[in-house]
Amino acid sequence: MLAVLALLSLGLQAGPGGAELKEAEPVPRLDLHGRLFLDLPGLDGEQGRPRSLRLQARLHLDEQASARVQLEHGRGELEVFEASFTYRDEEWGEARLGHHRPPAGSEARTSLSVLPSPERSAPVRALLPSRATGLSYGTRTAEGWSLGAFGGARRALDPIGSQRLVVGRRDWELEETTATSRSHLGLWAMHWDGGADGLRLDARPWGGSRARTVDSGDLVGARAVGAGLEWSHVRPDWILQNETLVQRIDGLATEGVGSPWGSTVTLVLPRGGLQRSWSATRQALHHPDHVVPHRSHEWVLRASWLDLEPVGGSRQAELAVGVNLYVSRRSRWMLHLQRTAIERAADLDVLLLRIQAGF
């Protein structure tokens, strides 16, 4: 398995970047993309297994309308991970209906195929919902706003549960020097009602195969009012990002109100001709603009803090350092070491080698 994936990652070359439909391209048109992640054993002795196999099909109906379906095999079964219909207009923005990510958090909206770290940070995983079924709208401008209303389905074909989510965000471009040099500030707010299903705030260190390190347990009847502040400074030789999130929880049987919160700081140093791409319309990192195979690489340092103590969980801090070697625009080898310090529990060290093959 490892040998096959290594050959794939060495041989696969980058496909077209981004999802923008060019006027000269024929429609209707079907685009296919995919990725395969393989994780090797870590220092904790746990055997790695394929993190995920994902296939994405996007059908461009015309220059403005498209439909997307993502299939993923990563939890022991094949599931429809995302299914949505998008209508995009250059003047008034983009509307999306179906199962997709809410417009909250730059890191949450960055694909794992693009994210400098192997997984999203603990604060994002614990304090933000993943994909949900609903409707969203965004202006798709560097200084614009987005809105979304969602139900609580975890997967695209699941029935919509009793959870309800409403999100609004505003973005500002602080500085634009060139296409690869930008400074961005984002602010979002949400109302997250757990309904009869309740809420659960938890996080795992790098992958679902490991046990939760922080966990609030089931918060039956809980409601959350949350907010986040994020900023990014993107330069050709360095990228610095910070995201701080907080959720005010009420509706619990116990007295008092809990406000779990977390913050993450990430430093990325592209080297060897690597040019990172930033999407001003999505306010998130995108696939690199330029890669020199087997030479382009980036050093990554990330620190995060998460406090779930107000809702019955615990506190933890994470510090990770790693390097990503690119063999094509969508394929790379990732070697990262992370230390997770958990309050009233033993520290956890994980050395992760991930091979990412993308097309």
Side-chain angles (χ1 to χ4, degrees), residues 25-95:
E25 295 178 340
V27 288
R29 187 183 78 254
L30 180 65
D31 290 339
L32 297 175
H33 297 286
R35 75 181 192 203
L36 179 61
F37 289 169
L38 179 66
D39 294 349
L40 273 68
L43 289 180
D44 55 5
E46 296 190 27
Q47 175 64 43
R49 60 180 182 178
R51 168 63 172 85
S52 69
L53 168 62
R54 179 172 297 184
L55 299 175
Q56 173 182 296
R58 183 189 293 270
L59 176 62
H60 296 274
L61 302 174
D62 56 31
E63 296 180 357
Q64 296 173 306
S66 64
R68 180 169 67 174
V69 175
Q70 287 187 181
L71 304 177
E72 177 160 331
H73 188 283
R75 299 178 177 90
E77 60 178 335
L78 183 66
E79 62 184 56
V80 181
F81 206 67
E82 181 170 325
S84 61
F85 175 81
T86 301
Y87 186 84
R88 181 178 302 163
D89 185 271
E90 294 298 330
E91 293 185 2
W92 63 264
E94 176 185 279

Side-chain angles (χ1 to χ4, degrees), residues 263-280:
S263 186
T264 302
V265 178
T266 304
L267 174 65
V268 183
L269 302 176
R271 296 293 184 266
L274 179 65
Q275 294 180 10
R276 268 292 195 170
S277 177
W278 175 260
S279 172

Side-chain angles (χ1 to χ4, degrees), residues 293-304:
H294 313 294
R295 181 186 168 202
S296 292
H297 62 282
E298 60 191 356
W299 296 95
V300 183
L301 178 65
R302 188 178 74 181
S304 69

Side-chain angles (χ1 to χ4, degrees), residues 246-269:
V246 63
Q247 296 279 12
R248 178 182 172 90
I249 308 293
D250 60 13
L252 302 177
T254 56
E255 296 182 358
V257 175
S259 296
W261 69 281
S263 186
T264 302
V265 178
T266 304
L267 174 65
V268 183
L269 302 176

Side-chain angles (χ1 to χ4, degrees), residues 105 121 123-124 127-128 188 227-229 243-247 260-264:
S121 62
V124 170
L127 300 177
L128 282 181
W188 56 263
L229 179 66
E243 189 166 348
T244 300
L245 314 89
V246 63
Q247 296 279 12
W261 69 281
S263 186
T264 302

Side-chain angles (χ1 to χ4, degrees), residues 48-331:
R49 60 180 182 178
R51 168 63 172 85
S52 69
L53 168 62
R54 179 172 297 184
L55 299 175
Q56 173 182 296
R58 183 189 293 270
L59 176 62
H60 296 274
L61 302 174
D62 56 31
E63 296 180 357
Q64 296 173 306
S66 64
R68 180 169 67 174
V69 175
Q70 287 187 181
L71 304 177
E72 177 160 331
H73 188 283
R75 299 178 177 90
E77 60 178 335
L78 183 66
E79 62 184 56
V80 181
F81 206 67
E82 181 170 325
S84 61
F85 175 81
T86 301
Y87 186 84
R88 181 178 302 163
D89 185 271
E90 294 298 330
E91 293 185 2
W92 63 264
E94 176 185 279
R96 180 171 295 180
L97 175 66
H99 196 73
H100 59 287
R101 289 191 179 277
S106 177
E107 184 182 329
R109 291 176 296 131
T110 302
S111 169
L112 287 183
S113 301
V114 181
L115 199 70
S117 298
E119 299 287 342
R120 295 181 178 89
S121 62
V124 170
R125 293 166 69 91
L127 300 177
L128 282 181
S130 185
R131 290 172 174 84
T133 301
L135 174 67
S136 65
Y137 166 78
T139 58
R140 288 185 57 82
T141 56
E143 293 193 341
W145 52 274
S146 303
L147 296 171
F150 300 84
R154 187 178 70 87
R155 296 180 292 188
L157 300 183
D158 288 351
I160 298 178
S162 60
Q163 286 192 12
R164 296 294 181 264
L165 175 70
V166 178
V167 183
R169 69 172 292 121
R170 181 71 167 88
D171 292 286
W172 296 268
E173 191 167 59
L174 305 179
E175 176 189 9
E176 178 183 358
T177 305
T178 65
T180 56
S181 297
R182 292 180 180 270
S183 294
H184 154 256
L185 178 68
L187 178 65
W188 56 263
M190 69 162 58
H191 181 265
W192 188 9
D193 188 343
D197 298 329
L199 301 178
R200 185 170 187 174
L201 311 181
D202 64 276
R204 305 169 186 261
W206 282 355
S209 62
R210 294 179 171 86
R212 297 177 176 90
T213 51
V214 287
D215 188 2
S216 68
D218 292 326
L219 304 176
V220 180
R223 299 180 301 274
V225 176
L229 179 66
E230 60 190 58
W231 52 261
S232 300
H233 298 283
V234 180
R235 298 292 183 269
D237 293 332
W238 58 272
I239 299 171
L240 184 63
Q241 295 181 284
N242 171 255
E243 189 166 348
T244 300
L245 314 89
V246 63
Q247 296 279 12
R248 178 182 172 90
I249 308 293
D250 60 13
L252 302 177
T254 56
E255 296 182 358
V257 175
S259 296
W261 69 281
S263 186
T264 302
V265 178
T266 304
L267 174 65
V268 183
L269 302 176
R271 296 293 184 266
L274 179 65
Q275 294 180 10
R276 268 292 195 170
S277 177
W278 175 260
S279 172
T281 57
R282 292 189 305 113
Q283 304 299 355
L285 287 174
H286 194 55
H287 287 284
D289 287 325
H290 181 69
V291 167
V292 180
H294 313 294
R295 181 186 168 202
S296 292
H297 62 282
E298 60 191 356
W299 296 95
V300 183
L301 178 65
R302 188 178 74 181
S304 69
W305 168 261
L306 175 61
D307 183 5
L308 294 186
E309 194 172 51
V311 288
S314 60
R315 299 170 178 166
Q316 78 169 35
E318 292 181 339
L319 181 63
V321 61
V323 61
N324 305 323
L325 176 64
Y326 285 77
V327 295
S328 76
R329 187 164 174 256
R330 294 179 182 266
S331 301

